Amino acid sequence: MANVATRESWSGRPEEEGAAAAAAAAAAAATAAAERTPLLNGAGTPRRFSSSLLFRIGQLSTVDLGDENQELETELATMVVKEIPHTENLLSLKYESLDYDNSENQLFLEEERRINHAAFRTVEVTRWVICGLIGILTGLIACFIDIMVEQLALVKYQVIKSNIDKFTEKGGLSFSLLLWASLNAVIVMIGSLIVAFIEPVAAGSGIPQIKCFLNGVKIPHVVRLKTLVVKVCGVILSVVGGLAVGKEGPMIHSGAVVAAGISQGRSTSLKKDFKIFEYFRRDTEKRDFVSAGAAAGVSAAFGAPVGGVLFSLEEGASFWNQLLTWRIFFASMISTFTLNFVLSIYNRKPGDLTSPGLINFGRFDTDENSYKYFELPIFIGMGAVGGMLGALFNALNNWLTVFRIRYVHRRCLQVIEAMLVAAVTATIAFVLIYSSSDCQPLREVSGEYMLQLFCPDGQYNAMASAFFTTPESSVRRLFHDPAGSFNPQTLGLFTLLYFFLACWTYGLTVSAGVFIPSLLLGAAWGRLFGILITKLSTATIAWADPGKYALMGAAAQLGGIVRMTLSLTVIMVEATGNVTYGFPIMLVLITAKIVGDIFVEGLYDLHIKLQSVPFLHWEAPVTSHSLTAKEVLSSPVTWLHRREKVGIIVDILSDTRTNHNGFPVVENNSGEPPRLCGLILRSQLIVLLKHKVFVERENMSPSLRRLKLKDFRDAYPRFPPIQSIHVSQDERECLMDLSEFMNPTPYTVPQEASLPRVFKLFRALGLRHLVVVNSHNRVVGLVTRKDLARYRIGKNGLEELCLAQT
Amino acid sequence: MMNVRALIISLLLCECCVVMGWLPDDPQSADSSDLMARSAWAQQLSLSLLPAYSLAPDPPVDPNICLQLLHEFANNSADLSNCLASMAWPVRVCQHCYREYAQLITTMEKIGNPIQNSSTISCATTLLRSDRVHVIVALKDFFDDVWTDSKCSSCLDSNNTSVLNSTAEFMKSFDDLIQCFNVTKGSAFPNQHANFSKVCQLCKTSYKKLNEQYTELEHNNSLCIDIEDAMNSTRSLWSGLFNCTLPCTDTVPVIAVSAFILFLPVVFYLSSFLHSEQKKRKLIIAKRLKTSNASLTHILDKSN
């Protein structure tokens, strides 16, 4: 891309370059500004800032805009804001951090003093209760989805089957095709409409969003009740609509929303406050519960409680402790048990706990299922294939997603796109089934919807068994149907077409997951592989059970697409219920990840990038030690004095250009730059303004109720905007004393600290603001998430991303 | 009868072995030729070796009753195996063997029931649990397995006493159809595949009726192996031998419709590419430190 703002190899530059070089550089830069391609960051500066030096700095931080900017150069003088097409190398301003760090202000200390030891024990018990509730509700939601999908799919397939049967006899199968395609399109249209027009954040699997949330990014609307409702209905409709999607990924999102909702004891969407769990109304607690909810979701989706815990661990590990892990495990277990129990009642076998997850891989414990040591290299080879196919999948999907963001951004277009995909999916399936001559005799366990079509009576169309059903049962059939149920051509064609269908489908404006399509795809080519092994050799190979290879292929494909490691291994092992598979599955997943990472990142990471989310990875970019906090920070900082005039505060908060959230509080009259004494958040200021906590008012009526921490919690999580708070002209002249409310000991770093050091502090503590001070504790600047997330290792070493409004 | 006797003998020998293991110096057990007496003795002994509950005040079980039951079971199982084997092809086990099976079940229940009303001791202790192999239990399990696999209970009424009406009706239609096949085929040219179209015409209604009945039974979950097998053989006759399934293929309309649908996305993406306004992102200028010599060292970009 021409617009990628790169900056080449910072790290390679020797540190000794002195002031002379710097000066020369500055001069060179200044002269270069005229002739060289203008720079993104510098584009708008001349208007707004008189300081040309700032302009220059801004100019130099991002370079290499390439040909596209030649024309922009001439407009430089007139343009205020530069616009570029969406790319993956942007950071959006709309995402903020969660306030994971506790504000230890005086109110907090007072509350802690007031609550005795026993009360804290109650809080601990409450946490367990909440985790249990999270598990139960998540399990129930999973049941609901499962039952609804089963019932609706049954109706749909029965209608189509009877139609096809009728027209097979009389002729006119094109009507059946039209019926199938339009039925799919209509169902998907409803699903897509609710997502596109009611809650767009419910689109997709939700795993990238939850990953971001656990990473500490506040994604707007992601844990709202409305999102949950749209997500659940959307996923039912898209699975019933016959798209190449699964219902497992969305369970993770649903679990997270359930957790965020229950732990707050109220719903702001429904405007209902149950007056319980008030203690947990802050980001720290909420995020801990969300990790439990995500784990419960995984556990309900795959029947993998340990895998769920490890999923949360893999995605949000920096904020974990042992007790929290144990609670999350509890939630996971409760969730899978609830699902199992309710489904056993639904299946009229109460107490028969055989379906611990939404997807049931079936049992892998027969003799053919066991593997021999010499098969391990074969499995590793399959892992490599899975990695490559996964990389291809991701690259294609990435390209498609960029196209979608740029061109298919209008909501009605998104709905139409989803409908088209649904219709095309049905058409491809129909044509494949129509043209397939692979007939298999009906068996006891053949499946639910058998299409005969042109097969002799008493036989069914094998292609139909792969396409004419929900993806979950296709996966199960590929795993467990006896050898010879599918012929290689059928599987090959199926794999090829399903690959493109699944790739095309992911990223549509419907809520749907990618787990099942990946598994299905992998199971198809894995089974094909197993069949070919049997065919290639002359002797009968007893060990080449196609079902086993289907499983390994599924693992390889899924690993190649999502690139999860530890948690995915455990999930697969738990879903198969065979611990001896742990080793080969691990090998397969490791290989898939290594091979895939050579080409392109995992699907979720790609989508996070494309959403321009300031996501902090585990470590700072490896070659960034030469960068110091001084270069990373944002400056000038908007600060407040310990005793500040209300008018100034209101003005700062209402400034639309700078939507700051944390403000360093400095000592009055401490010179320039002033000395740091605390940090206060926008939300706190808004609550203070709302309650009019002004010095003058307190002086007038000392009996005034003192603000408590509860007042802040009550306003959480949707603090009113500053515009809704009315401050009269007289009040603007009042003073506010912030010392009681600010966090008196914010984390600070000296300005010489290196980027990895700052990064580590930020990531490990879940900070939102990090104040950079000089040796006299005077505020130099402020580091936020976006300042750190913009450094990334690109093709040419360290790159810096641009900030953009999205 | 031979196998029954062998069975009894082996059972008793087993018991005897157990006894021998415990009391090797007892001369009576070795040379006794009277089976009845020995068994009674052995049974009492083995009972006395059982834990406390066998020492309850209940009178000991009369061995004759148990032997009688054993005999009965042997006869029943022989009948049932005979029936199952002879009805194995074409499979008609459910319709023809349900009486034998019911009989076996009754005998088994008798073995399980206490002999005297007040007693807790039944022949089950003696016959079913006294040795390692549990021959009777194994036999019973085998028959049960065959019965469940055949899903016979779905064709019979609740007590396995009679065949369901629906099943009988189905079998009647089946017989009619076979009759129809035979008659039509016989009147035409036997052993020739060419001219079965007459079969297709004449028997179509019966075939359809049979198919409908089958679907209905399938819906009601009242399929057993008899019905399934009958239907399967009919279908393979119908499609395979007589070649009566001739579906209408309308490839051209299907290709036309699918080409139309597959063409739609192309139109969609092209039009949205050409007509939709490309989404632009507004770049924001990051605030950076104003006077920083350190950062100026990084300014010089090699590429320029």
Side-chain angles (χ1 to χ4, degrees), chain A residues 7 13 17 36 40-41 57 60 63 81-86 93 168-169 171-174 177 403 405-407 409 413 417 420 424 427 434 444 454 456-458 504 630-636 660 787 790 803-806, chain B residues 151 207-208 211 228 235 238-239 245 247-251 253-254 257-258 261-262 264-265 268-269 272-273 276-291 293-304:
Chain A
R7 184 168 181 186
R13 198 174 307 283
E17 276 187 72
R36 206 172 59 185
L40 294 179
N41 276 8
I57 306 289
L60 290 158
V63 290
V81 185
K82 188 171 285 183
E83 293 190 336
I84 61 158
H86 185 89
L93 281 189
T168 316
E169 256 173 71
L173 274 172
S174 49
L177 165 59
F403 180 86
I405 293 175
R406 285 189 189 168
Y407 294 104
H409 48 82
L413 282 183
E417 192 191 14
L420 284 177
V424 168
T427 310
Y434 187 91
E444 176 80 29
F454 304 137
D457 286 3
W504 189 22
K630 209 171 176 179
E631 292 150 284
V632 170
L633 55 80
S634 297
S635 174
H660 294 313
D787 297 320
R790 66 199 165 110
L803 292 179
Q805 213 149 29
T806 54
Chain B
K151 296 199 289 187
Y207 180 71
K208 279 199 136 178
N211 250 330
E228 286 169 355
R235 277 173 172 173
W238 184 259
S239 318
T245 322
C248 304
T249 57
D250 36 6
T251 312
V254 167
V257 171
S258 50
I261 294 179
L262 293 179
L264 285 176
F268 172 79
Y269 284 114
S272 53
F273 179 69
S276 189
E277 186 192 345
Q278 189 177 151
K279 194 155 213 170
K280 298 280 189 180
R281 302 294 188 204
K282 286 178 189 157
L283 289 183
I284 307 293
I285 307 98
K287 291 198 294 180
R288 293 287 166 250
L289 201 59
K290 282 181 190 173
T291 52
N293 286 335
S295 74
L296 286 179
T297 60
H298 294 294
I299 281 166
L300 195 63
D301 200 287
K302 275 179 195 161
S303 62
N304 286 308

Side-chain angles (χ1 to χ4, degrees), chain B residues 67-219:
Chain B
L67 267 191
Q68 213 177 332
L69 282 176
L70 186 65
H71 210 73
E72 208 174 305
F73 181 86
N75 285 332
N76 288 334
S77 59
D79 291 347
L80 183 56
S81 1
N82 189 13
C83 177
L84 287 179
S86 43
M87 286 299 150
W89 188 87
V91 191
R92 297 291 179 269
V93 287
C94 298
Q95 294 167 68
H96 293 107
C97 306
Y98 65 92
R99 288 186 204 87
E100 284 82 353
Y101 183 70
Q103 196 61 47
L104 186 89
I105 297 293
T106 325
T107 315
M108 204 60 198
E109 272 166 13
K110 273 192 216 159
I111 294 179
N113 286 341
I115 296 163
Q116 282 96 10
N117 283 342
S118 56
S119 156
T120 51
I121 293 181
S122 65
C123 288
T125 336
T126 326
L127 298 181
L128 306 184
R129 289 196 286 273
S130 55
D131 62 308
R132 182 168 59 83
V133 185
H134 303 320
V135 179
I136 293 181
V137 177
L139 276 175
K140 163 78 166 40
D141 284 349
F142 167 72
F143 289 124
D144 276 347
D145 282 349
V146 171
W147 208 250
T148 351
D149 281 354
S150 320
K151 296 199 289 187
C152 283
S153 50
S154 16
C155 288
L156 304 169
D157 69 359
S158 50
N159 300 328
N160 287 345
T161 47
S162 66
V163 179
L164 285 180
N165 286 340
S166 56
T167 315
E169 277 169 31
F170 178 87
M171 290 319 286
K172 192 178 166 302
S173 316
F174 172 73
D175 290 339
D176 290 349
L177 183 62
I178 294 297
Q179 179 76 11
C180 174
F181 282 167
N182 286 334
V183 168
T184 336
K185 195 177 67 182
S187 67
F189 309 92
N191 303 328
Q192 275 193 10
H193 288 261
N195 209 356
F196 282 133
S197 57
K198 208 174 166 195
V199 179
C200 299
Q201 280 171 19
L202 289 174
C203 305
K204 190 169 184 184
T205 42
S206 331
Y207 180 71
K208 279 199 136 178
K209 188 183 159 206
L210 191 73
N211 250 330
E212 274 159 25
Q213 280 180 325
Y214 183 79
T215 331
E216 199 180 313
L217 289 175
E218 198 174 15
H219 268 290

Side-chain angles (χ1 to χ4, degrees), chain A residues 173-355:
Chain A
L173 274 172
S174 49
F175 293 107
S176 312
L177 165 59
L178 274 179
L179 175 81
W180 191 357
S182 46
L183 208 57
N184 272 9
V186 168
I187 296 173
V188 170
M189 182 187 79
I190 302 170
S192 182
L193 273 177
I194 57 174
V195 173
F197 286 94
I198 299 180
E199 194 55 274
V201 82
S205 72
I207 295 179
Q209 284 87 338
I210 296 305
K211 240 180 125 159
C212 292
F213 191 89
L214 293 180
N215 191 263
V217 185
K218 189 186 281 169
I219 309 274
H221 297 196
V222 79
V223 286
R224 291 207 183 160
L225 182 67
K226 195 166 77 173
T227 315
L228 177 67
V229 174
V230 170
K231 190 112 213 166
V232 169
C233 298
V235 76
I236 292 171
L237 289 167
S238 49
V239 174
V240 172
L243 290 176
V245 296
K247 53 188 175 344
E248 279 67 17
M251 265 322 294
I252 295 158
H253 192 170
S254 306
V257 183
V258 165
I262 291 184
S263 62
Q264 305 300 300
R266 70 169 166 195
S267 160
T268 22
S269 300
L270 297 180
K271 306 217 167 22
K272 186 142 182 72
D273 192 342
F274 297 99
K275 305 270 177 206
I276 45 171
F277 308 145
E278 285 170 340
Y279 184 79
F280 303 119
R281 289 177 188 175
R282 51 194 159 125
D283 280 347
T284 320
E285 299 285 349
K286 196 172 180 177
R287 184 149 141 208
D288 286 352
F289 284 118
V290 164
S291 52
V298 177
S299 142
F302 297 97
V306 182
V309 174
L310 291 176
F311 174 83
S312 280
L313 181 70
E314 211 171 306
E315 303 308 339
S318 52
F319 310 99
W320 275 51
N321 60 49
Q322 173 257 350
L323 203 60
L324 177 63
T325 316
W326 188 223
R327 270 205 304 273
I328 291 176
F329 186 64
F330 176 69
S332 276
M333 277 294 180
I334 294 276
S335 154
T336 175
F337 180 79
T338 309
L339 176 75
N340 213 338
F341 190 73
V342 176
L343 279 188
S344 77
I345 293 173
Y346 169 72
N347 293 328
R348 307 232 167 71
K349 283 179 262 177
D352 180 22
L353 304 176
T354 48
S355 44

Side-chain angles (χ1 to χ4, degrees), chain A residues 304-576:
Chain A
V306 182
V309 174
L310 291 176
F311 174 83
S312 280
L313 181 70
E314 211 171 306
E315 303 308 339
S318 52
F319 310 99
W320 275 51
N321 60 49
Q322 173 257 350
L323 203 60
L324 177 63
T325 316
W326 188 223
R327 270 205 304 273
I328 291 176
F329 186 64
F330 176 69
S332 276
M333 277 294 180
I334 294 276
S335 154
T336 175
F337 180 79
T338 309
L339 176 75
N340 213 338
F341 190 73
V342 176
L343 279 188
S344 77
I345 293 173
Y346 169 72
N347 293 328
R348 307 232 167 71
K349 283 179 262 177
D352 180 22
L353 304 176
T354 48
S355 44
L358 285 184
I359 170 88
N360 191 355
F361 283 3
R363 301 192 66 81
F364 276 88
D365 48 9
T366 58
D367 282 346
E368 304 94 67
N369 288 145
S370 64
Y371 62 95
K372 304 277 188 303
Y373 64 92
F374 54 80
E375 287 179 85
L376 292 176
I378 304 178
F379 293 152
I380 291 175
M382 291 179 77
V385 174
M388 280 187 268
L389 282 177
L392 182 66
F393 186 100
N394 292 358
L396 285 176
N397 192 267
N398 190 37
W399 178 82
L400 188 64
T401 311
V402 171
F403 180 86
R404 277 177 178 147
I405 293 175
R406 285 189 189 168
Y407 294 104
V408 194
H409 48 82
R410 281 167 58 201
R411 291 172 176 186
C412 45
L413 282 183
Q414 292 172 337
V415 174
I416 294 174
E417 192 191 14
M419 286 170 70
L420 284 177
V421 175
V424 168
T425 308
T427 310
I428 289 181
F430 189 89
V431 171
L432 277 184
I433 294 170
Y434 187 91
S435 55
S436 160
S437 53
D438 181 7
C439 292
Q440 303 286 344
L442 281 171
R443 274 189 311 274
E444 176 80 29
V445 287
S446 294
E448 295 151 42
Y449 329 102
M450 290 294 108
L451 269 189
Q452 183 189 352
L453 217 66
F454 304 137
C455 289
D457 286 3
Q459 300 198 351
Y460 68 92
N461 188 310
M463 186 63 104
S465 70
F467 258 128
F468 194 70
T469 179
T470 54
E472 279 90 355
S473 43
S474 301
V475 172
R476 245 194 325 274
R477 305 210 47 203
L478 286 169
F479 283 165
H480 291 296
D481 273 9
S485 304
F486 296 90
N487 73 32
Q489 290 92 334
T490 310
L491 282 178
L493 201 59
F494 176 81
T495 308
L496 186 72
L497 287 168
Y498 203 82
F499 182 86
F500 291 108
L501 274 181
C503 189
W504 189 22
T505 309
Y506 190 76
L508 284 179
T509 318
V510 294
S511 66
V514 76
F515 270 90
I516 294 298
S518 315
L519 287 173
L520 181 53
L521 198 55
W525 64 255
R527 193 171 178 110
L528 181 66
F529 193 80
I531 294 175
L532 290 183
I533 286 186
T534 337
K535 289 227 165 149
L536 280 180
S537 66
T538 47
T540 44
I541 305 181
W543 46 266
D545 167 46
K548 179 174 59 185
Y549 286 93
L551 177 70
M552 292 302 158
Q557 184 67 60
L558 187 55
I561 289 175
V562 302
R563 308 283 163 75
M564 281 151 56
T565 47
L566 173 62
S567 54
L568 192 55
T569 311
V570 177
I571 287 172
M572 295 290 287
V573 169
E574 281 186 290
T576 52

Side-chain angles (χ1 to χ4, degrees), chain A residues 456-459, chain B residues 181 207 229-245:
Chain A
D457 286 3
Q459 300 198 351
Chain B
F181 282 167
Y207 180 71
D229 182 71
M231 196 65 222
N232 266 346
S233 59
T234 323
R235 277 173 172 173
S236 63
L237 275 180
W238 184 259
S239 318
L241 185 64
F242 303 133
N243 207 10
C244 291
T245 322

